[in-house]
Amino acid sequence: MSSEPRPRDPQCLFCRIVAGEIPADVVAEDEQALAFRDLEPQAPLHVLVVPRAHYPDIGTLAHGDPDALVGVARLAAKVAADENGGQFRFVFNSGRQAHQSVFHAHGHVLGGRDMTWPPG
Ligand code: DGP
């Protein structure tokens, strides 16, 4: 693992959840990532998985810390295995047009109901 300090933005909501400064319903965590329930669930299972480090979206995360992106995917799969038999949709909104509202990379783990396609 890198000895560089992890990037953090003290104004960022999800950095503050990672730091324990804002409460969240945490369901899983490891060295790279934290998983907590979404405040506005869109499915019976709706958990956000965020890297501990601050990157604004999945693209900057992929370039800046690919290991952390793998860690996010691994933790998402664990949540789905624990709570929904391993089935899940994994959504990264990236940019306002794609409905991103919190600019700390996060994947939505969605499950527990039949999903439609195409997504809205
Ligand atoms: P997105 O639109 O992809 O940026 O998703 C952001 C999600 O974050 C949205 O589904 C609602 C959720 N959210 C916003 N604020 C909070 C919060 O303070 N706590 C939790 N647990 N979820 C939040």
Side-chain angles (χ1 to χ4, degrees):
M1 217 192 89
S2 164
S3 56
E4 295 285 311
R6 286 193 177 103
R8 176 169 196 266
D9 175 353
Q11 308 299 321
C12 167
L13 173 63
F14 289 172
C15 282
R16 297 190 67 200
I17 287 177
V18 167
E21 296 167 6
I22 293 176
D25 186 358
V26 173
V27 297
E29 62 184 305
D30 63 18
E31 174 60 30
Q32 297 278 13
L34 186 74
F36 52 92
R37 293 196 196 284
D38 195 294
L39 265 191
E40 299 163 19
Q42 304 299 318
L45 171 63
H46 190 171
V47 166
L48 301 174
V49 184
V50 310
R52 290 186 183 277
H54 181 84
Y55 291 92
D57 54 38
I58 186 175
T60 53
L61 174 63
H63 282 100
D65 193 343
D67 288 349
L69 178 55
V70 172
V72 165
R74 193 180 296 127
L75 200 62
K78 175 184 163 35
V79 170
D82 290 349
E83 300 205 16
N84 200 45
Q87 300 189 80
F88 65 119
R89 181 173 284 179
F90 198 30
V91 174
F92 284 81
N93 298 328
S94 190
R96 289 195 194 281
Q97 187 181 46
H99 203 279
Q100 186 176 9
S101 60
V102 178
F103 287 82
H104 178 127
H106 54 282
H108 296 253
V109 176
L110 295 155
R113 64 169 168 80
D114 289 335
M115 298 286 163
T116 59
W117 194 263

Short mmCIF file of all heavy atoms in Angstrom, two decimals, residues 33-36 47-51 71-73 75-77 79 90 92 105-109:
data_model
loop_
_atom_site.label_atom_id
_atom_site.label_comp_id
_atom_site.label_asym_id
_atom_site.label_seq_id
_atom_site.Cartn_x
_atom_site.Cartn_y
_atom_site.Cartn_z
N ALA A 33 -12.47 0.94 1.60
CA ALA A 33 -13.82 1.43 1.28
C ALA A 33 -14.77 1.29 2.46
O ALA A 33 -14.51 0.54 3.41
CB ALA A 33 -14.38 0.66 0.08
N LEU A 34 -15.86 2.05 2.36
CA LEU A 34 -16.91 2.04 3.38
C LEU A 34 -18.25 1.87 2.67
O LEU A 34 -18.47 2.48 1.62
CB LEU A 34 -16.88 3.37 4.14
CG LEU A 34 -17.79 3.52 5.34
CD1 LEU A 34 -17.24 2.72 6.52
CD2 LEU A 34 -17.91 5.00 5.75
N ALA A 35 -19.15 1.07 3.25
CA ALA A 35 -20.47 0.84 2.67
C ALA A 35 -21.52 1.23 3.70
O ALA A 35 -21.49 0.76 4.84
CB ALA A 35 -20.63 -0.63 2.28
N PHE A 36 -22.47 2.08 3.28
CA PHE A 36 -23.52 2.53 4.20
C PHE A 36 -24.83 2.71 3.43
O PHE A 36 -24.83 2.95 2.22
CB PHE A 36 -23.12 3.83 4.92
CG PHE A 36 -22.66 4.95 4.01
CD1 PHE A 36 -23.55 5.89 3.54
CD2 PHE A 36 -21.33 5.04 3.63
CE1 PHE A 36 -23.14 6.93 2.71
CE2 PHE A 36 -20.90 6.08 2.78
CZ PHE A 36 -21.79 7.01 2.33
N VAL A 47 -27.36 0.53 -0.97
CA VAL A 47 -26.17 0.83 -0.16
C VAL A 47 -25.18 1.59 -1.05
O VAL A 47 -25.02 1.27 -2.24
CB VAL A 47 -25.54 -0.48 0.37
CG1 VAL A 47 -24.14 -0.26 0.91
CG2 VAL A 47 -26.45 -1.09 1.45
N LEU A 48 -24.57 2.61 -0.50
CA LEU A 48 -23.52 3.34 -1.20
C LEU A 48 -22.17 2.79 -0.77
O LEU A 48 -21.95 2.55 0.42
CB LEU A 48 -23.58 4.83 -0.84
CG LEU A 48 -24.90 5.54 -1.17
CD1 LEU A 48 -24.88 6.97 -0.62
CD2 LEU A 48 -25.16 5.54 -2.67
N VAL A 49 -21.30 2.56 -1.74
CA VAL A 49 -19.94 2.12 -1.43
C VAL A 49 -18.98 3.20 -1.90
O VAL A 49 -18.99 3.58 -3.09
CB VAL A 49 -19.60 0.77 -2.09
CG1 VAL A 49 -18.21 0.31 -1.64
CG2 VAL A 49 -20.64 -0.28 -1.71
N VAL A 50 -18.20 3.73 -0.99
CA VAL A 50 -17.31 4.86 -1.29
C VAL A 50 -15.87 4.47 -0.96
O VAL A 50 -15.62 3.76 0.02
CB VAL A 50 -17.72 6.13 -0.50
CG1 VAL A 50 -19.21 6.41 -0.66
CG2 VAL A 50 -17.36 6.05 0.97
N PRO A 51 -14.92 4.98 -1.75
CA PRO A 51 -13.52 4.82 -1.35
C PRO A 51 -13.25 5.71 -0.13
O PRO A 51 -13.87 6.77 0.00
CB PRO A 51 -12.75 5.31 -2.58
CG PRO A 51 -13.68 6.28 -3.24
CD PRO A 51 -15.07 5.77 -2.98
N GLY A 71 -11.21 -2.18 -4.62
CA GLY A 71 -11.71 -2.36 -3.26
C GLY A 71 -13.19 -2.02 -3.15
O GLY A 71 -13.95 -2.70 -2.45
N VAL A 72 -13.61 -0.95 -3.84
CA VAL A 72 -15.02 -0.57 -3.84
C VAL A 72 -15.86 -1.69 -4.47
O VAL A 72 -16.90 -2.08 -3.92
CB VAL A 72 -15.20 0.77 -4.60
CG1 VAL A 72 -16.65 1.03 -4.95
CG2 VAL A 72 -14.64 1.93 -3.77
N ALA A 73 -15.40 -2.23 -5.58
CA ALA A 73 -16.16 -3.31 -6.24
C ALA A 73 -16.23 -4.55 -5.34
O ALA A 73 -17.27 -5.22 -5.25
CB ALA A 73 -15.50 -3.65 -7.58
N LEU A 75 -16.09 -4.66 -2.06
CA LEU A 75 -16.99 -4.45 -0.92
C LEU A 75 -18.45 -4.46 -1.38
O LEU A 75 -19.32 -4.98 -0.67
CB LEU A 75 -16.64 -3.13 -0.21
CG LEU A 75 -17.15 -3.03 1.23
CD1 LEU A 75 -16.53 -4.10 2.14
CD2 LEU A 75 -16.89 -1.63 1.81
N ALA A 76 -18.71 -3.93 -2.58
CA ALA A 76 -20.07 -3.97 -3.12
C ALA A 76 -20.52 -5.42 -3.27
O ALA A 76 -21.66 -5.77 -2.91
CB ALA A 76 -20.11 -3.25 -4.46
N ALA A 77 -19.66 -6.26 -3.79
CA ALA A 77 -20.02 -7.67 -3.98
C ALA A 77 -20.27 -8.35 -2.64
O ALA A 77 -21.16 -9.20 -2.52
CB ALA A 77 -18.91 -8.39 -4.76
N VAL A 79 -21.43 -6.87 0.11
CA VAL A 79 -22.74 -6.41 0.60
C VAL A 79 -23.86 -7.17 -0.10
O VAL A 79 -24.81 -7.66 0.53
CB VAL A 79 -22.89 -4.88 0.38
CG1 VAL A 79 -24.32 -4.43 0.66
CG2 VAL A 79 -21.91 -4.11 1.26
N PHE A 90 -25.04 -2.18 -9.97
CA PHE A 90 -23.99 -1.32 -9.39
C PHE A 90 -23.89 -0.09 -10.28
O PHE A 90 -23.46 -0.19 -11.44
CB PHE A 90 -22.68 -2.11 -9.38
CG PHE A 90 -21.63 -1.57 -8.47
CD1 PHE A 90 -21.94 -0.87 -7.31
CD2 PHE A 90 -20.28 -1.80 -8.74
CE1 PHE A 90 -20.95 -0.40 -6.46
CE2 PHE A 90 -19.29 -1.34 -7.90
CZ PHE A 90 -19.63 -0.63 -6.76
N PHE A 92 -22.71 3.91 -10.96
CA PHE A 92 -21.90 5.10 -10.67
C PHE A 92 -22.43 6.24 -11.51
O PHE A 92 -22.20 6.26 -12.74
CB PHE A 92 -20.42 4.87 -11.03
CG PHE A 92 -19.66 4.02 -10.07
CD1 PHE A 92 -19.75 2.64 -10.13
CD2 PHE A 92 -18.84 4.59 -9.10
CE1 PHE A 92 -19.04 1.84 -9.25
CE2 PHE A 92 -18.13 3.80 -8.22
CZ PHE A 92 -18.23 2.42 -8.29
N ALA A 105 -16.59 9.95 -5.26
CA ALA A 105 -16.97 8.74 -6.01
C ALA A 105 -17.75 7.77 -5.12
O ALA A 105 -17.38 7.53 -3.97
CB ALA A 105 -15.71 8.05 -6.53
N HIS A 106 -18.84 7.24 -5.68
CA HIS A 106 -19.63 6.26 -4.93
C HIS A 106 -20.40 5.39 -5.90
O HIS A 106 -20.93 5.87 -6.90
CB HIS A 106 -20.59 6.93 -3.95
CG HIS A 106 -21.50 7.95 -4.56
ND1 HIS A 106 -21.08 9.22 -4.89
CD2 HIS A 106 -22.81 7.88 -4.93
CE1 HIS A 106 -22.09 9.89 -5.42
NE2 HIS A 106 -23.15 9.10 -5.46
N GLY A 107 -20.47 4.12 -5.57
CA GLY A 107 -21.30 3.19 -6.32
C GLY A 107 -22.55 2.89 -5.53
O GLY A 107 -22.50 2.70 -4.31
N HIS A 108 -23.69 2.87 -6.26
CA HIS A 108 -24.96 2.49 -5.64
C HIS A 108 -25.13 0.98 -5.81
O HIS A 108 -25.22 0.49 -6.95
CB HIS A 108 -26.13 3.17 -6.34
CG HIS A 108 -26.15 4.67 -6.25
ND1 HIS A 108 -27.04 5.35 -5.45
CD2 HIS A 108 -25.41 5.61 -6.86
CE1 HIS A 108 -26.86 6.66 -5.59
NE2 HIS A 108 -25.87 6.85 -6.45
N VAL A 109 -25.22 0.25 -4.72
CA VAL A 109 -25.56 -1.18 -4.76
C VAL A 109 -27.07 -1.28 -4.60
O VAL A 109 -27.62 -0.93 -3.55
CB VAL A 109 -24.86 -1.96 -3.63
CG1 VAL A 109 -25.29 -3.42 -3.63
CG2 VAL A 109 -23.35 -1.84 -3.75
#
